[in-house]
Amino acid sequence: MTAEPSTLASWTRALRKQLDALGLDSSALCREAGLDPALLDDPNARCPLSVTTRLWQLAVAASGDPALGLKTSQFVSPTTFHALGYALIASSSLREMFERIVRYHRVVSDALQLELRQVDDAYEFRFRVPPGSPTPAAEALDAFAAIYVRSCRSRLSRDFAPLLVQLQRPRPLDPEPWQAVFRAPVQFEAEESLLRFPRDAFEQRLDDGNPELAEHNEAVLRRSLEQLQAASCSERVRNFLQAQLPDGEPSAERIAQALHLSLRSLQRHLAEEGTSYEALLGDTRQALALQHMRDPRCSISEIAYLLGFSDSSSFGRAFKRWTGQTPSQYRDGLKKA
């Protein structure tokens, strides 16, 4: 069974500072959520996602502010994210900065899967919930997006803004706070959460970059990551599959290469965990298929593409094998439910 996602306790400290600034009793709210306030003083402590999500819910209710996550981002400092924060401020470009975020984000939180992709004259930074994992509070994801836009401004220019912000969260009654923070078009209830940035600004060399300092902190991050790598080989394969399936079905050889393993070693590790590449491919596709089928805006042909199938017919046969129904029958059943 996969362990519950967790985040650094220091990340939650930013929320406490916001609550204190509003005159609310952050300690009492922490205890109500099941979180020991003293835990937040330990820079290496981690909090289960279920607890931090409960704290966000209580905080929004106590403050009456649906934009609380955006405001909490102001209380984040480099130390909030451990060595990652210092590695980011030493990066020589925004592209390098976000590559480090993707590479080491698990040190801060393993509740999301991150991806940076160049698309024409832009870079897209995607953050998604792994299949079968609990979804963080919408306000936490607001803060997550706002923190990295603010990080860009602190490194490049106060006037910097993304080209587009997409959030899966429900549309707020008043979207103005989101527009004020991001200064860009904001799409709510989107199919996926992403930040789109201009390529030229992302690749611009930053005068205050410090490769030596960045490498020093990367060494700390690598050690931290190794300690957290209680993640099984099968979990790493699932994560890779989810990220790569929209580009077509990746072979076992390609996955082994990405995980820095030989094909034989990958097969052995998976066998020791009681599974195989083929089983994980099927399980990942099935979980993603059921997730996408619940979104009426996603057509069956689009789902087939997102899952790496060569055509809708191949997807239909697999879906019937998983559920005993065709995709159309399954979707009709959802409408009647």
Side-chain angles (χ1 to χ4, degrees):
M1 204 173 161
T2 304
E4 180 182 356
S6 64
T7 62
L8 276 178
S10 56
W11 161 231
T12 306
R13 193 187 308 142
L15 175 55
R16 281 198 67 188
K17 289 181 179 178
Q18 172 64 58
L19 293 172
D20 290 339
L22 294 173
L24 298 171
D25 189 341
S26 63
S27 294
L29 289 169
C30 282
R31 286 190 288 270
E32 188 178 347
L35 176 63
D36 180 359
L39 185 69
L40 305 186
D41 295 326
D42 180 350
N44 296 308
R46 301 184 73 85
C47 301
L49 179 63
S50 58
V51 174
T52 55
T53 298
R54 176 62 176 155
L55 178 58
W56 275 104
Q57 292 168 344
L58 293 170
V60 172
S63 67
D65 187 356
L68 190 67
L70 300 176
K71 296 172 182 175
T72 298
S73 68
Q74 301 175 72
F75 289 91
V76 169
S77 67
T79 57
T80 301
F81 294 146
H82 205 272
L84 179 58
Y86 291 107
L88 298 187
I89 61 176
S91 297
S92 297
S93 68
L94 295 185
R95 178 181 60 79
E96 189 178 296
M97 187 173 83
F98 275 81
E99 287 173 345
R100 288 194 167 101
I101 293 168
V102 171
R103 196 153 59 238
Y104 298 113
H105 75 279
R106 286 176 63 89
V107 172
V108 178
S109 174
D110 56 359
L112 296 173
Q113 290 179 335
L114 309 185
E115 178 189 15
L116 181 66
R117 182 188 302 176
Q118 184 182 333
V119 181
D120 299 325
D121 289 330
Y123 279 92
E124 292 184 346
F125 177 62
R126 289 175 164 79
F127 45 104
R128 56 172 70 92
V129 178
S133 294
T135 301
E139 295 76 20
L141 297 181
D142 288 342
F144 179 85
I147 285 164
Y148 289 120
V149 171
R150 291 183 188 277
S151 297
C152 291
R153 289 176 183 148
S154 69
R155 298 300 316 284
L156 191 63
S157 164
R158 290 173 125 190
D159 298 327
F160 178 81
L163 298 172
L164 174 70
V165 176
Q166 289 185 353
L167 299 171
Q168 291 178 296
R169 63 158 296 137
R171 181 178 179 83
L173 293 176
D174 178 13
E176 195 280 331
W178 283 260
Q179 293 162 351
V181 167
F182 294 117
R183 304 177 211 155
V186 182
Q187 297 177 359
F188 299 101
E189 299 177 340
E191 292 184 14
E192 58 180 350
S193 295
L194 66 81
L195 303 173
R196 182 177 298 153
F197 299 103
R199 178 181 173 183
D200 56 348
F202 234 54
E203 295 182 345
Q204 178 180 328
R205 298 296 293 179
L206 300 173
D207 294 336
D208 56 351
N210 188 324
E212 184 178 356
L213 179 60
E215 175 53 36
H216 171 75
N217 282 283
E218 280 212 27
V220 177
L221 288 164
R222 283 192 290 270
R223 289 196 298 271
S224 298
L225 210 50
E226 287 170 6
Q227 294 169 1
L228 288 171
Q229 291 296 10
S232 65
C233 185
S234 55
E235 182 181 355
R236 295 165 68 198
V237 170
R238 284 193 194 95
N239 292 341
F240 186 86
L241 282 168
Q242 186 191 15
Q244 296 299 316
L245 278 172
D247 296 323
E249 180 182 316
S251 65
E253 290 86 352
R254 183 177 163 200
I255 291 179
Q257 184 179 20
L259 299 182
H260 307 292
L261 296 170
S262 68
L263 178 60
R264 184 171 297 179
S265 294
L266 174 66
Q267 292 169 332
R268 185 180 71 253
H269 286 312
L270 293 179
E272 289 171 353
E273 294 173 17
T275 188
S276 66
Y277 162 76
E278 292 77 12
L280 290 172
L281 175 62
D283 290 347
T284 303
R285 276 177 158 165
Q286 181 178 355
L288 287 171
L290 296 177
Q291 176 182 317
H292 291 314
M293 288 292 285
R294 288 191 288 270
D295 184 352
R297 297 168 296 183
C298 206
S299 70
I300 290 172
S301 60
E302 287 173 327
I303 297 173
Y305 166 78
L306 291 170
L307 300 187
F309 284 98
S310 57
D311 52 51
S312 297
S313 298
S314 301
F315 168 60
R317 289 192 294 272
F319 193 86
K320 190 164 187 178
R321 190 167 65 250
W322 296 328
T323 66
Q325 296 177 295
T326 66
S328 297
Q329 290 170 335
Y330 184 88
R331 185 158 269 179
D332 287 343
L334 290 176
K335 293 177 183 176
K336 296 173 184 175

